[in-house]
């Protein structure tokens, strides 16, 4: 690859990353459902996985770091200390970058979004069961809570499964369009 082409590709990646992270922030301002102690059902992860599945895990890690910081600063981040800031924002959004390991594969957007959502859930699950354990209510979703691990599973699993379903539905609709399919599969980058 020539130097001029490398520069153009890097500029394209940076611009695309900045636009899609900004879009993540914008759509997250209008959540479909908001949980009482943080977490929401929104379209935020849809543009994030578009970027990560197109450009790979390395650039996805950078985008996840930026998104995690922006989520905490601009989206009214709820935290109870530096541990929850690191876990619920920085590490959780960085974990989404695992979607980039599926770059270039046939169903990369579906597999990447599924594994990325699972990785983010896992971080929120551990943080919720350890750091947020003291805030566990006696009942949640009509069930008696006896362990913070079960509470964290219900609390974080609720919105993460809905986020994942939103991603799957939207990507399914976008894949019907030939140009969007090529964009989602990063065919324009090959």
């Amino acid at each position: 690859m020539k130097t001029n082409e490398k520069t153009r590709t890097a500029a394209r990646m940076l611009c695309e990353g900045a636009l899609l992270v900004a879009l993540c922030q914008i759509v997250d301002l209008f959540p479909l459902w908001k949980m009482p102690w943080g977490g929401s059902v929104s379209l935020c992860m849809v543009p994030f996985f578009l970027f990560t599945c197109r450009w790979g895990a390395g650039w996805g890690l950078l985008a996840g770091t930026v998104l995690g910081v922006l989520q905490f600063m601009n989206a009214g981040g709820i935290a109870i200390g530096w541990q929850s800031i690191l876990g619920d924002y920085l590490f959780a959004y960085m974990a989404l970058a695992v979607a980039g390991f599926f770059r270039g594969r046939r169903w990369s957007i579906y597999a990447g979004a599924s594994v990325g959502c699972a990785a983010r859930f896992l971080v929120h699950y551990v943080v919720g069961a350890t750091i947020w354990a003291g805030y566990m209510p006696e009942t949640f979703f009509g069930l008696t809570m006896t362990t913070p691990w079960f509470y964290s599973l219900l609390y974080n699993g609720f919105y993460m499964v809905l986020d994942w379903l939103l991603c799957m539905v939207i990507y399914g609709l976008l894949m019907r369009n030939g140009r969007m399919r090529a964009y989602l599969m990063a065919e324009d980058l090959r």
Side-chain angles (χ1 to χ4, degrees):
M1 192 181 285
K2 296 179 182 174
T3 305
N4 200 17
E5 190 175 331
K6 283 183 182 180
T7 304
R8 190 172 359 159
T9 301
R12 180 178 179 182
M13 183 274 307
L14 288 171
C15 289
E16 208 171 291
L19 287 171
L20 290 174
V21 167
L23 185 57
C24 289
Q25 282 297 105
I26 291 167
V27 297
D28 204 49
L29 293 173
F30 307 100
L32 304 172
W33 177 266
K34 203 163 180 95
M35 298 294 283
W37 291 101
S40 63
V41 177
S42 76
L43 299 174
C44 176
M45 291 194 301
V46 172
F48 184 86
F49 288 133
L50 289 177
F51 176 76
T52 303
C53 288
R54 284 176 53 77
W55 295 98
W59 293 113
L61 189 62
L62 177 62
T65 302
V66 171
L67 182 59
V69 170
L70 289 174
Q71 283 288 304
F72 177 72
M73 291 173 53
N74 296 328
I78 297 172
I80 56 172
W82 65 269
Q83 300 94 335
S84 65
I85 294 171
L86 288 177
D88 281 330
Y89 293 96
L90 196 60
F91 296 150
Y93 285 95
M94 288 170 67
L96 293 173
V98 299
F101 291 129
F102 296 92
R103 178 183 181 206
R105 300 216 168 98
R106 182 181 159 118
W107 296 97
S108 64
I109 196 72
Y110 297 113
S114 297
V115 171
C117 284
R120 180 178 166 204
F121 164 75
L122 188 60
V123 173
H124 286 307
Y125 174 63
V126 171
V127 170
T130 56
I131 297 169
W132 288 92
Y135 294 87
M136 180 180 74
E138 289 184 25
T139 60
F140 186 69
F141 286 151
L143 300 170
T144 302
M145 296 294 108
T146 57
T147 173
W149 293 99
F150 183 62
Y151 170 63
S152 185
L153 177 72
L154 289 177
Y155 187 96
N156 293 299
F158 176 73
Y159 70 88
M160 286 303 305
V161 166
L162 292 176
D163 274 350
W164 171 76
L165 284 172
L166 273 172
C167 287
M168 295 299 109
V169 168
I170 290 171
Y171 297 145
L173 294 172
L174 291 175
M175 286 292 240
R176 292 179 174 201
N177 180 298
R179 288 187 181 191
M180 278 308 297
R181 182 182 179 88
Y183 181 80
L184 290 170
M185 302 305 289
E187 291 173 2
D188 57 326
L189 301 177
R190 296 181 204 151

